[in-house]
Amino acid sequence: MDEKVLYTLNYGVYLISTKFQDKINGQIANVVFQVTSEPPKIAICLNKKNLTHLMILNSGIFNVSILGRSCNMKFIGKFGFKSGRDINKFEDVNYIIGKNGAPIVKDFSVAYLECEVEKMLDVGTHSLFIGKVTEGNFLNEDTPLTYSYYHSELKGKEPENAPTFVKKRKE
């Protein structure tokens, strides 16, 4: 199989955030999709190794900040290639606390959704969290950042924990 065929699937670029006890954390994700409209529910996919995954398991809440094309690689790198176990990712980041207690990132975000976890599905290295959307609103009029734009214009790469990461094979 040519794994590059998977690159033809469309994705966005999102910042998933949560709070557990007195700690907030977040990470970049590209798998967020709506699963129902009444009531509105979405699914997110996170690697089990990530701190955000563990915190959502324990807190039962998450927020999705939908990033716009104005977002830069420095910002994406902070949330996508570093661990909240090592740094405070929210230092010097413009955010507010949502009604569910988790952060909503204002920097580079077009809109946000606040969610309560209803189910979790184990899919191997990753988990799908199904969340009931409890709040949401627009923050600016930027164009949402797609994964295609991230690759073609920002020259971004996938971190190893991304569901779309494909390990290069030795020829």
Side-chain angles (χ1 to χ4, degrees):
M1 177 181 146
D2 184 348
E3 284 97 359
K4 290 182 185 170
V5 73
L6 295 170
Y7 294 159
T8 64
L9 297 172
N10 289 313
Y11 302 93
V13 180
Y14 310 95
L15 197 151
I16 310 299
S17 58
T18 192
K19 178 182 182 192
F20 179 63
Q21 295 175 342
D22 62 347
K23 184 170 177 67
I24 59 174
N25 195 55
Q27 70 169 74
I28 298 296
N30 68 330
V31 180
V32 174
F33 57 96
Q34 184 174 348
V35 293
T36 63
S37 60
E38 193 56 45
K41 295 180 186 179
I42 63 170
I44 63 172
C45 186
L46 303 179
N47 191 294
K48 293 177 186 175
K49 295 178 185 175
N50 293 354
L51 179 60
T52 305
H53 180 283
L54 176 64
M55 291 176 66
I56 291 172
L57 272 177
N58 288 307
S59 70
I61 59 168
F62 65 89
N63 291 341
V64 178
S65 297
I66 301 157
L67 299 178
R69 282 191 177 181
S70 63
C71 193
N72 59 52
M73 288 304 295
K74 181 178 179 186
F75 185 83
I76 291 170
K78 182 176 193 175
F79 284 92
F81 292 90
K82 296 182 189 285
S83 173
R85 290 177 176 94
D86 303 323
I87 66 165
N88 173 2
K89 293 183 181 184
F90 284 88
E91 185 175 354
D92 300 322
V93 172
N94 185 20
Y95 68 94
I96 57 174
I97 298 299
K99 290 181 181 178
N100 66 359
I104 297 165
V105 176
K106 294 177 72 176
D107 292 334
F108 309 111
S109 294
V110 175
Y112 69 90
L113 299 167
E114 295 185 52
C115 299
E116 296 173 355
V117 175
E118 288 200 339
K119 293 185 182 189
M120 192 270 297
L121 176 64
D122 185 327
V123 292
T125 58
H126 290 68
S127 296
L128 280 177
F129 290 96
I130 309 298
K132 179 180 175 186
V133 178
T134 58
E135 295 289 333
N137 217 329
F138 289 94
L139 296 170
N140 71 52
E141 295 182 12
D142 195 4
T143 302
L145 176 58
T146 64
Y147 210 44
S148 175
Y149 188 89
Y150 167 77
H151 284 289
S152 66
E153 302 301 318
L154 299 179
K155 307 299 182 204
K157 305 288 184 216
E158 298 89 9
E160 258 187 65
N161 287 352
T164 51
F165 177 78
V166 176
K167 188 177 278 191
K168 298 210 185 316
R169 295 185 194 175
K170 294 182 181 179
E171 300 294 324

